[in-house]
């Protein structure tokens, strides 16, 4: 007869029945197989009572998030007249069809002088200018050509056949309507995205596929709900909470399954997000941070004056912390579950202590990762302030730097707090789950060995 590995009972009524006398050796081998495979399989289901408790907490929350999505759904970004500034300009596709080297002075460009740069740097680049002929490849003017002059000191030079992005100004004189504003990076970016997806699927297999689907859904929530809702004038903080909660629910349950372990991670993430929101609101107001510290933010505020810029700053703090929070809470919950599987008799206190020892290592690495991520994104800004004629205190408390400090430290506090909160919740759930404790006690080899010993003693 073929040996079939038993499945984990889902409720008290599904517990395995006692085997007839004389079949205990076969049952023992089944119990060993079950215990070994369980450590590598899905998390142990919890009792019906605990499932009801978890559902009573998360179902109203999920319903509230869904209601928020429906009520605030923007239906697309609001229309506006293009200002022609920065990113807010009409664009067309183009292609470089010809490049010719000419004398800069003959082309009407200011000749380059062989002079040292400020601060003792190398002299400016010398050489001929490049006269590039650009063809418009999209829009009603497809096939039209114009010239673009590139000086030797320019940071970007073109090659024949290279795709470019053109800024289009319909009200400008005809010979000035088009200008190259960027290069076309579609191919390398698409190739990089393909390599990323391939790596995730090869290593993560089916779970990697679910992770990619969750990533697409999260990006959809961001672009179809969060950004347009903010542009329509909804409170950015409320939009970030609703949208971020939707992303959290979809991503966690899709990647890790609809089970109690994931639900504990969801509760831990939600608790930490609330703390991040409260601290962010407190310190942005106390430090008098306006959020209007760069040209792009000023442009958005100019186009949509009804947007609350400080709320936009808070929304960025919450959304920026969400991805790292998910990682921390899922890891801590999984650690506690595995600790309980390794030692079913462990108490809540022992599980919490062991989980926190794992969490402290996680805190050290994650906080450093978060700080370095923000530092890397702000590296040009840090270089400017490193040469500024101001003390470190003055630089650190200036609004543009203080905003990044608040963003980093508030997010880090939320990450640190998520470890004890999630660890405690996970330890409470697995310790309170008497159903699984009884199941393991009945199916474990020691319990069966003890029962056989008891039968022998009774026989004597």
């Amino acid at each position: 007869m073929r040996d079939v590995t038993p499945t984990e009972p889902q409720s008290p009524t599904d517990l395995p029945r006692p085997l007839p006398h004389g079949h205990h050796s076969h049952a023992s081998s089944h119990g060993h197989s079950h215990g070994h495979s369980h450590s590598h399989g899905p998390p142990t289901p919890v009792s019906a009572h605990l499932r009801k408790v978890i559902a009573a907490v998360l179902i109203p929350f999920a319903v509230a998030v869904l209601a928020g999505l429906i009520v605030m759904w923007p239906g697309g970004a609001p229309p506006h007249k293009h200002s022609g500034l920065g990113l807010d300009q009409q664009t067309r596709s183009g292609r470089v069809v010809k490049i010719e080297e000419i004398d800069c002075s003959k082309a009407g460009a200011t000749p380059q002088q062989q002079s040292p740069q400020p601060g003792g740097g190398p002299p400016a680049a010398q050489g001929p200018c490049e006269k590039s002929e650009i063809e418009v490849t999209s829009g009603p003017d497809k096939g039209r050509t114009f010239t673009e002059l590139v000086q030797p000191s320019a940071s970007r030079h073109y090659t024949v056949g290279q795709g470019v992005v053109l800024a289009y100004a319909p009200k400008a004189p005809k010979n000035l309507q088009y200008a190259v504003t960027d290069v076309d990076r579609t191919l390398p970016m698409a190739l990089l995205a393909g390599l990323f997806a391939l790596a995730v699927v090869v290593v993560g297999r089916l779970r990697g596929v679910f992770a990619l689907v969750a990533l697409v859904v999260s990006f959809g929530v961001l672009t179809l709900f969060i950004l347009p809702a903010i542009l329509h004038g909804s409170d950015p903080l409320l939009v970030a909470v609703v949208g971020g909660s939707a992303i959290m629910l979809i991503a966690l349950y899709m990647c890790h399954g609809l089970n109690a372990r994931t639900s504990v991670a969801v509760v831990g993430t939600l608790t930490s997000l609330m703390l991040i929101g409260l601290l962010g609101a407190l310190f942005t107001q106390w430090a008098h941070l306006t959020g209007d510290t760069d040209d792009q933010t000023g442009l958005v505020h100019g186009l949509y004056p009804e947007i609350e810029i400080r709320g936009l700053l808070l929304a960025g703090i919450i959304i920026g912390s969400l991805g790292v929070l998910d990682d921390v809470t899922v890891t801590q919950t999984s650690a506690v579950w595995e600790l309980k599987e390794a030692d079913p008799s462990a108490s809540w206190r022992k599980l919490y202590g062991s989980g926190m020892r794992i969490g402290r290592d996680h805190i050290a690495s994650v906080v450093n990762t978060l700080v370095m991520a923000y530092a890397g994104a702000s590296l040009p800004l840090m270089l400017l302030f490193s040469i500024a004629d101001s003390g470190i205190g003055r630089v650190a408390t200036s609004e543009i730097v203080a905003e990044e400090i608040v963003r980093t430290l508030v997010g880090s506090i939320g990450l640190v707090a998520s470890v004890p909160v999630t660890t405690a919740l996970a330890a409470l759930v697995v310790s309170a789950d008497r159903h699984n404790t009884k199941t393991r006690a009945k199916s474990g080899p020691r319990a069966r060995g003890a029962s056989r010993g008891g039968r022998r003693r009774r026989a004597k």
Side-chain angles (χ1 to χ4, degrees):
M1 186 174 72
R2 187 174 57 183
D3 190 18
V4 180
T5 304
T7 57
E8 181 67 21
Q10 299 295 320
S11 65
T13 59
D14 295 328
L15 292 175
R17 296 178 181 178
L19 294 173
H21 182 68
H23 288 240
H24 34 265
S25 62
H26 181 66
S28 176
S29 64
H30 271 269
H32 178 74
S33 173
H34 172 76
H36 176 74
S37 63
H38 186 72
S39 63
H40 298 284
T44 307
V46 298
S47 63
H49 174 69
L50 272 179
R51 288 200 298 269
K52 291 178 180 178
V53 172
I54 294 172
V57 174
L58 289 181
I59 288 179
F61 169 67
V63 171
V65 171
L66 180 60
L69 288 172
I70 295 173
V71 171
M72 294 190 294
W73 190 262
H80 72 282
K81 293 183 178 180
H82 291 283
S83 65
L85 302 174
L87 296 175
D88 184 45
Q89 53 189 343
Q90 299 184 47
T91 59
R92 300 285 190 269
S93 298
R95 183 171 59 93
V96 181
V97 294
K98 183 179 179 182
I99 297 178
E100 180 184 357
E101 291 188 353
I102 61 173
D103 191 339
C104 291
S105 59
K106 292 181 180 179
T110 303
Q112 300 288 337
Q113 299 295 329
Q114 184 76 16
S115 58
Q117 297 297 302
Q126 299 295 307
C129 290
E130 294 176 353
K131 183 180 179 181
S132 303
E133 184 176 341
I134 313 295
E135 179 185 4
V136 181
T137 58
S138 67
D141 294 329
K142 183 177 180 180
R144 179 177 165 183
T145 60
F146 67 96
T147 59
E148 184 93 2
L149 190 66
V150 181
Q151 297 200 28
S153 59
S155 58
R156 181 188 297 144
H157 293 262
Y158 308 117
T159 57
V160 175
Q162 183 178 18
V164 291
V165 180
L166 309 177
Y168 174 55
K171 296 183 180 181
K174 189 173 181 179
N175 61 331
L176 299 176
Q177 286 181 336
Y178 288 97
V180 177
T181 185
D182 207 345
V183 298
D184 186 3
R185 301 182 181 90
T186 303
L187 180 60
M189 299 302 291
L191 180 60
L192 181 60
L195 289 174
F196 165 73
L198 180 63
V200 171
V201 172
V202 168
V203 177
R205 298 183 181 180
L206 183 59
R207 183 161 293 188
V209 174
F210 284 137
L212 291 176
V213 174
L215 179 62
V216 172
V217 174
S218 300
F219 188 74
V221 172
L222 179 64
T223 56
L224 298 178
F225 172 72
I226 295 178
L227 300 179
I230 292 175
L231 292 177
H232 274 279
S234 299
D235 183 10
L237 181 58
L238 181 60
V239 170
V241 169
V242 173
S245 299
I247 291 174
M248 172 187 66
L249 291 172
I250 294 170
L252 287 180
Y253 282 119
M254 184 173 291
C255 293
H256 305 286
L258 189 63
N259 51 58
R261 188 166 72 180
T262 307
S263 299
V264 171
V266 167
V267 175
T269 304
L270 176 62
T271 305
S272 301
L273 280 179
M274 292 173 59
L275 176 62
I276 289 173
L278 291 174
L279 289 176
L282 172 63
F283 282 96
T284 53
Q285 185 175 3
W286 192 6
H288 300 285
L289 299 178
T290 63
D292 189 7
T293 55
D294 57 51
D295 295 338
Q296 301 304 330
T297 305
L299 178 59
V300 171
H301 188 52
L303 295 173
Y304 299 95
E306 65 276 8
I307 294 179
E308 211 281 302
I309 299 299
R310 181 178 292 173
L312 195 61
L313 172 61
L314 288 173
I317 293 174
I318 292 176
I319 294 174
S321 304
L322 183 60
V324 188
L325 269 179
D326 289 351
D327 172 59
V328 173
T329 55
V330 168
T331 301
Q332 286 304 115
T333 306
S334 299
V336 173
W337 241 260
E338 294 301 324
L339 288 169
K340 185 66 173 179
E341 287 297 311
D343 185 6
S345 63
S347 64
W348 175 87
R349 187 179 299 275
K350 183 177 180 181
L351 289 173
Y352 179 77
S354 300
M356 281 302 298
R357 283 192 290 273
I358 298 172
R360 290 186 186 101
D361 291 336
H362 205 183
I363 287 173
S365 60
V366 167
V367 168
N368 187 65
T369 300
L370 188 65
V371 172
M372 289 300 101
Y374 281 126
S378 305
L379 196 58
L381 176 65
M382 296 176 66
L383 288 173
L384 288 176
F385 279 104
S386 67
I387 60 175
D389 188 18
S390 302
I392 187 65
R394 179 68 65 185
V395 170
T397 56
S398 63
E399 181 171 7
I400 191 170
V401 177
E403 181 179 304
E404 295 302 322
I405 292 176
V406 169
R407 191 195 310 271
T408 303
L409 296 186
V410 166
S412 298
I413 291 173
L415 289 175
V416 171
S418 70
V419 172
V421 169
T422 308
T423 305
L425 286 172
L428 285 172
V429 169
V430 296
S431 298
D433 188 18
R434 298 178 180 178
H435 160 58
N436 283 324
T437 303
K438 292 178 181 178
T439 303
R440 283 186 288 265
K442 288 184 178 181
S443 61
R446 293 183 180 178
R448 282 190 290 273
S451 65
R452 289 198 298 270
R455 283 198 295 270
R456 292 194 192 99
R457 285 192 295 271
R458 286 194 297 271
K460 292 180 180 179

